[in-house]
């Protein structure tokens, strides 16, 4: 990252953990090279982006290396409820803070999901701060902690930039009661069976042409909007069925839908959230067929 004089290397070591880290960075001399470059002044700040296990995280912190920063996934859901084999941000931040290592935050909106909550949760947040966006709660959470160096927001539109400026200029840190309020919100959010996809697109391209992120994002959107009926006896079954199927065809071209998945599993190893992607695609495809055939 030349504009801020940071060099970030990714630590995503999968199942093999410390051995993979040694293969990638120690045994081939890469880490020694980076440390030498920092000593020579060509790298001003050296740190790493973490996607892995507690074992690897703790190991890197135990090395006799001065880290200038570490990038972690941190938001008010992952603080105590990290999904799959991710690590709770409360632990990650705490270990970095103890060592005085500045923190760069990725996924403050959990892949956008914390800006697109279901109507019940939106109403819950709006009741407290009617003038503020849903996303601003997540950004305030990320910016509240004193050792945070930078929050990566992933802005797309001018409105996002404007909302971020309103949130951070100046930042109003969360108080303890608001932190507890967001913890309760996270617990309510987890009652909805969404797939922990952050739409990062690391799983792409699919060799068989599927638009994996679009499929998972559509499913999550329908869950949050109450358009995933469990039975034909549900009160809003007809409306929800129509919304799911029409939205699916509009969001994902037919030749890129879940029905095309062969189960090759080239995607799963690249997923930072450790989603069993073929399993989820087959489940969604089976559900779509049930909706089409009206066999729920």
């Amino acid at each position: 990252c030349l504009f801020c004089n940071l060099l970030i290397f990714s630590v995503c070591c999968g199942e093999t953990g410390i051995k993979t880290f040694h293969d990638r960075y120690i045994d081939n001399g890469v880490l020694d090279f980076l440390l030498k470059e920092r000593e020579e002044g060509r790298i001003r700040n050296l740190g790493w982006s973490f996607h892995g296990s507690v074992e690897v995280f703790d190991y890197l912190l135990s090395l006799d290396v001065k880290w200038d920063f570490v990038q972690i996934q941190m938001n008010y859901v992952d603080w105590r409820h990290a999904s799959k084999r991710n690590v709770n941000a409360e632990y990650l931040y705490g270990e970095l803070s103890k060592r005085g290592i500045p923190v760069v935050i990725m996924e403050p909106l959990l892949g956008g999901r914390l800006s697109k909550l279901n109507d019940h949760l939106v109403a819950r947040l709006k009741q407290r701060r009617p003038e503020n966006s849903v996303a601003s709660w997540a950004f305030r959470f990320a910016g509240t902690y004193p050792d945070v160096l930078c929050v990566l927001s992933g802005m797309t539109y001018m409105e996002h930039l404007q909302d971020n400026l309103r949130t951070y200029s100046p930042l109003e840190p969360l108080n303890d009661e608001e932190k507890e309020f967001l913890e309760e919100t996270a617990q309510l959010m987890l009652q909805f069976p969404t797939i922990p996809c952050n739409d990062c697109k690391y799983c792409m391209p699919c060799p068989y042409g599927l638009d994996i992120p679009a499929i998972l994002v559509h499913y999550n959107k329908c869950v949050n909007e109450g358009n995933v009926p469990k039975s034909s006896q549900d009160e809003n079954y007809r409306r929800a069925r129509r919304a799911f199927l029409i939205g699916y065809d509009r969001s994902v071209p037919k030749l890129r839908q879940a029905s095309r998945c062969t189960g090759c599993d080239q995607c799963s190893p690249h997923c930072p959230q450790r989603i069993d992607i073929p399993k989820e695609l087959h489940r969604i495809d089976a559900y779509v067929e049930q909706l089409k055939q009206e066999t729920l």
Side-chain angles (χ1 to χ4, degrees):
C1 182
L2 297 179
F3 73 92
C4 52
N5 297 299
L6 306 180
L7 189 143
I8 310 173
F9 62 91
S10 178
V11 178
C12 185
C13 297
E15 300 293 339
T16 53
I18 293 172
K19 180 182 182 304
T20 299
F21 176 76
H22 269 263
D23 290 343
R24 293 177 179 176
Y25 298 108
I26 302 294
D27 298 342
N28 57 10
V30 167
L31 182 55
D32 287 337
F33 169 76
L34 295 176
L35 292 171
K36 183 66 174 176
E37 289 294 289
R38 182 174 65 178
E39 184 181 325
E40 296 293 331
R42 284 183 285 272
I43 295 173
R44 294 191 185 180
N45 297 282
L46 177 63
W48 38 280
S49 175
F50 175 71
H51 313 264
S53 67
V54 171
E55 178 188 33
V56 176
F57 182 82
D58 290 344
Y59 177 72
L60 264 71
L61 293 184
S62 74
L63 296 176
D64 187 22
V65 176
K66 176 189 177 296
W67 301 113
D68 298 307
F69 67 95
V70 173
Q71 180 172 297
I72 62 172
Q73 180 167 313
M74 180 170 146
N75 51 70
Y76 65 80
V77 173
D78 285 322
W79 185 249
R80 291 178 180 164
H81 309 283
S83 59
K84 302 294 181 180
R85 284 167 287 188
N86 288 335
V87 183
N88 284 346
E90 183 177 32
Y91 176 80
L92 301 178
Y93 175 85
E95 291 301 303
L96 295 171
S97 183
K98 283 194 302 188
R99 293 166 173 79
I101 300 174
V103 180
V104 174
I105 294 179
M106 58 183 164
E107 301 295 352
L109 293 179
L110 196 56
R113 281 184 283 161
L114 298 185
S115 64
K116 303 171 185 176
L117 301 174
N118 64 66
D119 292 344
H120 171 69
L121 294 180
V122 169
R124 174 183 169 84
L125 297 179
K126 285 293 186 179
Q127 186 176 23
R128 294 289 295 265
R129 297 173 71 95
E131 302 302 318
N132 296 104
S133 70
V134 172
S136 70
W137 280 94
F139 285 126
R140 286 180 64 215
F141 177 88
T144 290
Y145 293 87
D147 291 308
V148 171
L149 175 67
C150 178
V151 178
L152 306 177
S153 69
M155 297 171 287
T156 305
Y157 303 108
M158 179 60 71
E159 304 88 83
H160 297 165
L161 174 60
Q162 293 167 341
D163 188 41
N164 285 356
L165 290 173
R166 283 191 294 269
T167 302
Y168 285 116
S169 302
L171 171 68
E172 181 185 344
L174 296 175
N175 58 40
D176 290 342
E177 190 274 334
E178 288 177 315
K179 289 179 184 177
E180 184 58 33
F181 172 73
L182 285 184
E183 168 60 19
E184 292 169 0
T185 303
Q187 292 180 21
L188 290 171
M189 181 180 173
L190 293 170
Q191 294 177 11
F192 295 86
T194 55
I195 299 166
C197 172
N198 288 346
D199 195 20
C200 66
K201 297 179 175 58
Y202 290 176
C203 56
M204 297 292 282
C206 167
Y208 294 92
L210 277 78
D211 191 342
I212 297 169
I215 296 167
L216 301 185
V217 166
H218 172 71
Y219 180 83
N220 285 342
K221 178 176 181 288
C222 288
V223 170
N224 285 331
E225 293 176 351
N227 291 327
V228 181
K230 295 180 180 178
S231 165
S232 60
Q233 303 306 309
D234 288 359
E235 181 180 355
N236 296 318
Y237 169 73
R238 289 291 172 190
R239 179 192 59 76
R241 173 183 177 273
R242 185 173 185 275
F244 189 105
L245 292 177
I246 291 177
Y248 189 41
D249 285 341
R250 287 177 177 173
S251 302
V252 191
K254 287 191 179 295
L255 292 179
R256 306 194 72 185
Q257 292 182 359
S259 59
R260 310 286 292 185
C261 178
T262 67
C264 71
D265 202 31
Q266 289 194 35
C267 47
S268 295
H270 302 289
C271 177
Q273 305 302 319
R274 308 295 194 272
I275 301 169
D276 186 339
I277 295 174
K279 178 182 176 181
E280 296 292 355
L281 293 178
H282 292 156
R283 180 173 69 84
I284 291 171
D285 182 48
Y287 181 73
V288 168
E289 286 303 310
Q290 286 182 302
L291 289 180
K292 288 179 177 178
Q293 303 300 323
E294 299 201 61
T295 57
L296 274 179

